[in-house]
Amino acid sequence: MRHLRLTLALVLCLPCNGQLVCPPLGLDAYLPAPEDNPFTREKIELGKKLFSDKRLSRDGTVSCATCHDPHYSFADSRTVAVGIRGQKSTRHAPTLINRVFGKSFFWDGRAATLEQQVLQPIANALEMNMPLEELPQHVQWNATDVSRALAAYVRTILAGNSPYDRYLSGDRSALSTEEQEGLRLFRGKANCATCHVGANLTDERFHNTGIAWENGFRDDGRFAVTQREADRGAFKTPTLREAARRAPFMHDGSLTTIEEVIEFYDHGGKANLNLDPEIHPLHLTPEEKNRLAAFLRALTGVVQDGVAPGIFR
Amino acid sequence: MTSRCIVLLVATAVCSVAGDPRSWWSGPEVTLLGSPSRNGKLLSFADPVTGALGVRDLVAGTSRFIATRPAGSHEFAYFSAFSPDASKIAYAWFNDKGFYELRIISTSGEGQPFIAYRNEEAGFVQPCAWTPDGKQVLTMLFRRDNISQITLIPAAGGAPRVLRSLNWVYPKKMDISPDGRWIVYDNFAVEGKPERTIFVLSLDGTQERRLIETPGDYLFPLWAPDGNRILFAGDNGGPQELFTLDVEEGKSIGQPRPLTGALGRIIPLGLSVSQELFYGVRTGSPDVYIDSRRIPTRFAGRNTAPAWSPDGKQLAYLSRRGTENFGEQARVIVIMDLVSGNEREIAAPLAHMERVVWSPNGLSLLISGSDGKGRAGLFTVRVEDGATTALSVEHDAPFRGFEGVWSRDGKSVYYLYGETELRQRRLTDGAEETILRTAAMQHLAINKTGDTIAIGIGGSAIRMTPLQPGIVARLLPFPDLTELAWGNELYAGRGEKLWVVPLDGTPPRQIPAAKGRLPGISPSPGGESIAFAAGREQAEIQSLQLRK
């Protein structure tokens, strides 16, 4: 099996215009980047340093990596993000893997670009609480430079080459029988693929599953951006890649295991005023739930960062 | 700046066509799945009758098959593309395992086809073009989870290089620039809207750009042999025609310009090195009839699958829009008021619709088909506003969906799941029950009282299946059965011919049926008339000479 994985990796690293292009298996060769912030080696290296630099926070105790921990596939093992002086946010820090393919950012999609997104936690009083105009005094770079460098670096955080990717690319032995059964459920009876779709297993859209409902919405979600009543309580579909490494789940971190997530959806989410029509009771048997969980764990693969395919080599 | 404007003006002046369209090939055997060779003398095609891959000598007007299926198999060829030197053809082949693989064969037909890519998880392949060096085939892969991928597949075989994945959507056509640096393809301009526009993607995977920002519906792009412009079909509010757009270094110069007037429902196929543009035109005319009378409609020649409303006052049918076979823009549901003749369109968000059945209360339609998320099965569409709900769907179901009928009370639906299960699904709570397991079931119809379902068995008999317990089912022989419908009487089809099947076991009685009738009749509620569709889709290969 190890030999096969190496062979697949070599086959997919193809020379292209003199450069070696090698995204993890399962991801596109094309990595979108804005024309005014193209990938450069220097910018990515700076972004990687800044990502772990606690000087970006007001009291020097918190960096981006504090809540987007590389050891947890760039997510947070805590329920909600914790900022300076132990201040708790209201939402769980989402993973940053494969955000290069993102169409909007944050659970409510309020940032249109990664360049906008990366500055908001820095400035947020509950998180890093650093006035952006003060950045040059702390890290020698202004907000625009920091934004571009961090965004360029985050675009290099890629996850792929999981057993699922190898199965999709034609290795029929990459998934066990139980995992293959789980994949069938994922695409069929469990209805997961209705939202968790594509190379990154997310439709990048906003759905109301009822997770924020408790006799009213505890979090308005997408409504805060669109002011559309139908969007109240809707949150962006997260990727499922690396799910086994980055519990807890949902926008509020309220579900602690993959099994709890499956139970939540098996019950048809939580009924509320805006429940997405695709969320309904699944009637999964205990055996089917186990198979589905096994498949979700097979989405665990390789996470790489700081390398932009087609740039360095 | 001034010199650039002059260049643009000159370019605009010379981009035109010389002469009228030239017809090369027409008739029911013509499919629009192939491409011309670069010298413009040959056309690859998929033969609709034999399933073979063929080569048409456009000058001599003769055809030969170069890849045929084994006797007794259901395999067939689909999309194809010539290599740059026309010595080989890359083509999609629907194999004996039930999915498409990419094959390459010598144009001469000598030797065995070579399987360049075969992966059940990417079960549909569409070869669109070759790289100029002939080493890779630009291929659209369509995965089982309904992701389309723009890929380069080595002609010598090997893993595809996935350049770009697209969720739930797919390009209608892609092409490679003559310098081998750019791919041009179409995709939706805005998520949730049917209009398409044109994009370029660099082969090295570092750049992607939308080429056209102005409104319009643009699709089927091709790269001109001079490399300085692309051509594509589309419209910007008027009838469909051909457009051109100048391109330099992957960026558009100016705006798209119409090259021709209206050409009908066209699909560009390819360009020769002498800048002759080959394209297909759909010329067929399926239409809906009531008895022998064709119903008057605004979109004549595009209509199938009629269904009478329970009160007999309306007729629902499917009507094709655009040139494509598949996609949300391909078909709409039309509700015709049979008294006033007024037509109302329902644009259900479904990628394919195969048949329509009215609910007993006339408020909903049961649609067999598939949605834009790659799920196929049964859907309900509210007649009032087109609100569409997935009723029983799966990712692995056939794109034509399941065949289903309503229960008498409208609270549940009976449908055939595969060929071995008859299921009942309650609409109230979504609970499902398998009520019959047996082999080779195809086609079903329910009687007016809702107590018996007729099911075709093995294409040779009709199983009369009582829905109340304790009553024994029975078989009525009917060889070569191809469809069932039940009004006041039970109707059975055999190809375009039609019979009434007496329930007492006496021999079926043939009734007059129009020549070219298509499957899918609907008896009127009173039993005095039958609605059906007749007429075949046909196509023609034409070309236009572009001025250099």
Side-chain angles (χ1 to χ4, degrees):
Chain A
M1 179 58 80
R2 188 187 177 94
H3 175 72
L4 175 67
R5 287 178 192 178
L6 180 62
T7 307
L8 276 172
L10 288 174
V11 164
L12 290 167
C13 294
L14 301 174
C16 192
N17 285 1
Q19 296 172 323
L20 200 64
V21 178
C22 188
L25 180 65
L27 301 187
D28 295 352
Y30 170 61
L31 300 181
E35 292 199 1
D36 63 353
N37 191 25
F39 290 112
T40 66
R41 179 203 298 257
E42 295 73 19
K43 207 161 27 186
I44 294 168
E45 286 178 351
L46 173 61
K48 181 163 184 164
K49 284 179 187 166
L50 290 171
F51 191 78
S52 301
D53 194 335
K54 293 182 177 176
R55 291 178 299 164
L56 288 177
S57 64
R58 188 74 172 170
D59 62 1
T61 60
V62 173
S63 72
C64 305
T66 303
C67 295
H68 300 284
D69 188 339
H71 295 105
Y72 295 98
S73 297
F74 290 87
D76 194 350
S77 61
R78 299 167 300 188
T79 304
V80 293
V82 179
I84 61 167
R85 297 191 299 276
Q87 298 179 106
K88 285 189 176 178
S89 167
T90 55
R91 291 178 182 168
H92 177 62
T95 179
L96 295 182
I97 57 174
N98 297 341
R99 292 316 298 152
V100 65
F101 303 114
K103 292 180 178 173
S104 63
F105 305 89
F106 293 113
W107 285 104
D108 54 16
R110 66 182 181 274
T113 66
L114 268 173
E115 281 73 10
Q116 294 173 19
Q117 186 273 324
V118 295
L119 291 178
Q120 292 196 35
I122 296 173
N124 189 314
L126 280 176
E127 298 183 51
M128 298 159 87
N129 194 26
M130 173 66 75
L132 297 179
E133 61 276 13
E134 293 182 19
L135 278 172
Q137 301 161 35
H138 292 264
V139 292
Q140 301 169 305
W141 303 94
N142 65 31
T144 302
D145 295 332
V146 168
S147 157
R148 288 181 172 175
L150 279 173
Y153 167 67
V154 170
R155 289 192 179 98
T156 70
I157 301 173
L158 302 175
N161 200 10
S162 66
Y164 169 68
D165 296 303
R166 294 193 287 277
Y167 181 81
L168 286 188
S169 66
D171 177 4
R172 309 299 286 179
S173 66
L175 291 181
S176 68
T177 305
E178 184 183 36
E179 290 162 348
Q180 289 183 40
E181 286 296 319
L183 173 57
R184 274 181 58 83
L185 291 162
F186 184 85
R187 291 172 172 171
K189 185 177 177 182
N191 207 29
C192 313
T194 299
C195 301
H196 294 286
V197 66
N200 198 31
L201 294 162
T202 166
D203 60 1
E204 291 287 326
R205 297 179 188 174
F206 301 86
H207 301 277
N208 179 319
T209 65
I211 190 72
W213 178 260
E214 200 69 62
N215 297 321
F217 289 109
R218 287 180 279 119
D219 188 331
D220 283 338
R222 181 67 173 162
F223 172 83
V225 178
T226 66
Q227 300 298 304
R228 280 174 12 113
E229 198 54 46
D231 288 333
R232 203 183 286 275
F235 297 87
K236 191 167 54 163
T237 310
T239 179
L240 292 182
R241 288 188 177 276
E242 300 295 309
R245 285 181 176 150
R246 52 181 184 80
F249 305 103
M250 316 306 266
H251 77 280
D252 55 0
S254 59
L255 302 180
T256 57
T257 63
I258 286 174
E259 283 72 16
E260 281 185 24
V261 175
I262 292 172
E263 283 298 330
F264 176 78
Y265 285 113
D266 188 51
H267 284 99
K270 206 183 284 182
N272 71 89
L273 298 173
N274 297 328
L275 184 66
D276 192 290
E278 294 286 0
I279 307 292
H280 48 72
L282 302 174
H283 307 296
L284 297 174
T285 66
E287 198 173 45
E288 288 173 332
K289 291 173 188 173
N290 289 339
R291 290 169 179 167
L292 188 56
F295 168 70
L296 293 172
R297 292 195 169 89
L299 299 174
T300 309
V302 172
V303 179
Q304 69 179 46
D305 67 298
V307 181
I311 300 300
F312 298 153
R313 309 188 185 188
Chain B
M1 183 65 182
T2 306
S3 62
R4 184 181 167 124
C5 287
I6 292 170
V7 170
L8 275 178
L9 285 170
V10 171
T12 303
V14 298
C15 290
S16 61
V17 296
D20 295 327
R22 178 175 178 179
S23 177
W24 290 97
W25 192 19
S26 64
E29 74 276 24
V30 176
T31 54
L32 306 180
L33 302 166
S35 70
S37 60
R38 279 195 176 180
N39 64 11
K41 292 180 178 174
L42 304 175
L43 179 82
S44 62
F45 69 95
D47 184 64
V49 177
T50 65
L53 175 71
V55 173
R56 177 82 174 175
D57 185 323
L58 292 170
V59 181
T62 57
S63 299
R64 58 189 168 89
F65 296 151
I66 58 172
T68 56
R69 63 186 170 204
S73 90
H74 297 292
E75 298 173 52
F76 58 86
Y78 216 57
F79 286 101
S80 59
F82 273 100
S83 64
D85 64 0
S87 66
K88 296 174 192 157
I89 298 174
Y91 63 103
W93 182 259
F94 186 79
N95 63 26
D96 58 349
K97 302 296 183 193
F99 63 92
Y100 293 83
E101 59 195 31
L102 181 68
R103 292 187 174 195
I104 293 173
I105 192 169
S106 159
T107 303
S108 67
E110 293 169 0
Q112 291 297 308
F114 168 69
I115 299 175
Y117 183 68
R118 178 187 173 108
N119 180 1
E120 190 174 356
E121 284 296 317
F124 184 85
V125 300
Q126 182 178 344
C128 291
W130 292 59
T131 52
D133 61 8
K135 292 183 177 174
Q136 299 179 89
V137 182
L138 175 64
T139 304
M140 199 262 286
L141 299 183
F142 203 60
R143 289 193 343 203
R144 290 175 70 179
D145 54 0
N146 212 25
I147 304 309
S148 65
Q149 297 184 311
I150 300 171
T151 69
L152 291 167
I153 296 181
R161 181 162 176 260
V162 179
L163 294 174
R164 184 85 164 93
S165 298
L166 302 163
N167 293 359
W168 298 323
V169 299
Y170 57 96
K172 298 288 183 184
K173 200 167 187 66
M174 308 187 287
D175 199 10
I176 297 179
S177 62
D179 64 6
R181 293 176 57 208
W182 302 96
I183 292 165
V184 63
Y185 71 95
D186 61 75
N187 195 6
F188 293 113
V190 178
E191 194 173 291
K193 298 278 178 70
E195 290 80 18
R196 287 175 175 259
T197 193
I198 309 295
F199 296 82
V200 288
L201 174 67
S202 61
L203 257 77
D204 65 6
T206 59
Q207 296 179 64
E208 186 189 49
R209 194 170 292 117
R210 178 173 163 167
L211 284 181
I212 303 170
E213 296 293 341
T214 51
D217 186 16
Y218 305 111
L219 66 173
F220 299 115
L222 295 169
W223 218 292
D226 62 13
N228 297 326
R229 58 189 164 137
I230 56 168
L231 296 108
F232 45 94
D235 69 74
N236 52 10
Q240 192 173 44
E241 52 191 322
L242 283 167
F243 287 80
T244 184
L245 176 68
D246 294 326
V247 178
E248 186 179 309
E249 285 297 310
K251 294 180 179 174
S252 58
I253 302 172
Q255 301 296 326
R257 301 183 303 280
L259 265 180
T260 61
L263 290 173
R265 291 183 287 158
I266 55 171
I267 295 180
L269 298 176
L271 280 142
S272 71
V273 284
S274 61
Q275 309 236 44
E276 186 162 16
L277 172 68
F278 290 86
Y279 58 94
V281 186
R282 292 195 187 279
T283 57
S285 57
D287 249 324
V288 169
Y289 294 75
I290 296 176
D291 301 327
S292 60
R293 181 175 56 90
R294 180 154 63 176
I295 62 167
T297 170
R298 283 180 294 148
F299 291 94
R302 303 178 178 202
N303 309 307
T304 56
W308 229 299
S309 66
D311 62 7
K313 293 178 179 174
Q314 299 177 94
L315 195 69
Y317 53 90
L318 301 177
S319 188
R320 185 193 283 271
R321 299 288 181 268
T323 53
E324 302 96 301
N325 286 320
F326 202 77
E328 289 182 15
Q329 67 279 41
R331 282 177 176 80
V332 298
I333 304 164
V334 177
I335 308 287
M336 173 177 273
D337 184 314
L338 291 171
V339 178
S340 68
N342 290 338
E343 293 172 289
R344 182 167 68 86
E345 291 187 8
I346 301 173
L350 296 172
H352 179 80
M353 292 183 274
E354 185 73 11
R355 61 180 77 83
V356 182
V357 185
W358 287 82
S359 64
N361 63 10
L363 299 178
S364 296
L365 301 169
L366 182 67
I367 304 288
S368 306
S370 41
D371 69 7
K373 293 185 174 181
R375 302 176 301 180
L378 286 169
F379 302 83
T380 55
V381 174
R382 204 157 57 196
V383 175
E384 181 186 8
D385 58 7
T388 301
T389 305
L391 193 63
S392 183
V393 295
E394 286 189 1
H395 274 93
D396 287 337
F399 77 96
R400 290 191 170 88
F402 304 137
E403 192 167 355
V405 293
W406 294 88
S407 65
R408 175 72 178 156
D409 61 9
K411 291 181 178 175
S412 63
V413 162
Y414 299 96
Y415 71 96
L416 291 179
Y417 179 76
E419 293 191 353
T420 58
E421 285 186 46
L422 174 66
R423 291 183 175 180
Q424 180 181 18
R425 184 183 182 90
R426 284 202 306 260
L427 271 63
T428 44
D429 59 2
E432 282 205 351
E433 182 185 1
T434 298
I435 59 173
L436 175 66
R437 278 184 211 274
T438 189
M441 290 191 284
Q442 283 184 321
H443 318 299
L444 81 167
I446 190 166
N447 65 350
K448 279 189 159 182
T449 53
D451 56 18
T452 305
I453 287 182
I455 305 170
I457 301 291
S460 61
I462 303 167
R463 186 186 199 276
M464 306 301 286
T465 309
L467 294 172
Q468 303 99 326
I471 303 177
V472 180
R474 59 198 175 96
L475 278 181
L476 301 174
F478 193 93
D480 303 322
L481 176 76
T482 53
E483 66 183 302
L484 285 168
W486 211 336
N488 287 350
E489 297 179 285
L490 177 63
Y491 297 88
R494 185 181 296 150
E496 63 185 29
K497 295 174 180 171
L498 201 57
W499 277 262
V500 168
V501 182
L503 305 183
D504 60 6
T506 54
R509 181 179 82 250
Q510 189 172 359
I511 59 174
K515 187 172 172 52
R517 187 186 68 83
L518 300 169
I521 68 159
S522 177
S524 64
E528 65 280 358
S529 294
I530 293 176
F532 61 94
R536 299 284 178 193
E537 281 284 6
Q538 294 193 34
E540 182 171 336
I541 304 295
Q542 298 181 355
S543 73
L544 272 170
Q545 182 62 54
L546 306 181
R547 286 205 178 97
K548 294 177 184 172

